[in-house]
Amino acid sequence: MERVTLITGGSSGIGAATARALLKQGDRVAVTGRDTGRLAAFAASVDAGEQLLTIAGDAADEKDVASAVRRVVDRWGRLDTVVANAGYSLPGTLEDHDPQAMRAMVLTNVLGPALLVRETLPHLRESKGRIVVVGSVAGIRNTPGNLYSVTKWAAHALVENVRQLVAEDRIGVTLVAPGVVDTPFWNERGGTPEASPALTAEQIANVIVFAVNQPEGVDVNQLVVRPSGQLG
């Protein structure tokens, strides 16, 4: 039976590249995003027909997450893999951030993956499925005043917390922590650092696909992926 995957933040960047890679190998894929225009453009670009489902919603809203999971299961009858990819950063440091923007980022980057896990666990227990959380190198090193880094440290802790929760259920749990990746993520931060080498979204997507394509009984837990030459 074709695998069914749900990806949050799947209309661009790493999420979209992962969806394309999974569709190419024959999976059924649902992607969520807050921007309906981006979702429509992504759907048109892949032209996957009934193999793709796009769902507008906020990854940090419990009702939207529950609705997305329900739509996937109603359409395809199962759920095998979830990829918690939705997330973003703010420019500057916490000294500069607007408090409401700080709150929104923490909710998306930390609460979002937790809500996705909470809503999908009953289905993943049934399918003996897999969870992938897209973290960051910022979650294993500190930068002065970087609240985004704080959210990724929290997301990384969530991954191990969940792994211990579901290990006996034979659900795979993987953290993928990229270094600098040339994606729209950097639009809010003034562009990809010119002095740094960068990976492509497709390269990180290949890492995610590697993790979820492991045979039953093999659980790849942590994958840190930097471009050659990135020091931090």
Side-chain angles (χ1 to χ4, degrees), residues 137-138 140-143 178-180 193 195-198 224-232:
V137 166
I140 59 175
R141 57 184 293 270
N142 283 295
T143 304
V180 177
S196 298
V224 179
V225 189
R226 290 180 175 90
S228 298
Q230 180 179 337
L231 295 178

Side-chain angles (χ1 to χ4, degrees), residues 58-62 65 104 107-109 111-112 115:
D58 185 345
D61 184 290
E62 66 272 20
V65 175
L107 290 176
T108 298
N109 294 4
L111 180 63
L115 289 174

Side-chain angles (χ1 to χ4, degrees), residues 4 31 42 44 61 89 92 101 107 117 119 125 136 144 156 180 190 204 209 214 227-228:
V4 174
V31 299
F42 172 70
D61 184 290
S89 181
L107 290 176
V117 170
E119 290 296 331
R125 285 192 172 103
S136 172
H156 290 198
V180 177
I204 300 303
V209 172
Q214 292 302 302
S228 298

Side-chain angles (χ1 to χ4, degrees), residues 29-33 36 39-40 42-43 52-56 71 75-76:
V29 180
V31 299
T32 74
T36 56
L39 286 169
F42 172 70
L52 175 68
L53 174 63
T54 59
I55 304 170
R71 286 185 61 184
R75 176 158 178 169
W76 288 314

Side-chain angles (χ1 to χ4, degrees), residues 63-125:
K63 293 180 180 178
D64 285 357
V65 175
S67 175
V69 173
R70 190 162 53 246
R71 286 185 61 184
V72 172
V73 175
D74 286 349
R75 176 158 178 169
W76 288 314
R78 60 186 292 119
L79 182 57
D80 302 285
T81 305
V82 295
V83 181
N85 171 70
Y88 67 96
S89 181
L90 297 172
T93 71
L94 59 84
E95 286 186 289
D96 311 311
H97 298 338
D98 172 75
Q100 291 306 311
M102 296 167 73
R103 178 186 296 274
M105 181 175 66
V106 170
L107 290 176
T108 298
N109 294 4
V110 182
L111 180 63
L115 289 174
L116 184 66
V117 170
R118 178 182 181 276
E119 290 296 331
T120 58
L121 274 184
H123 307 289
L124 297 174
R125 285 192 172 103

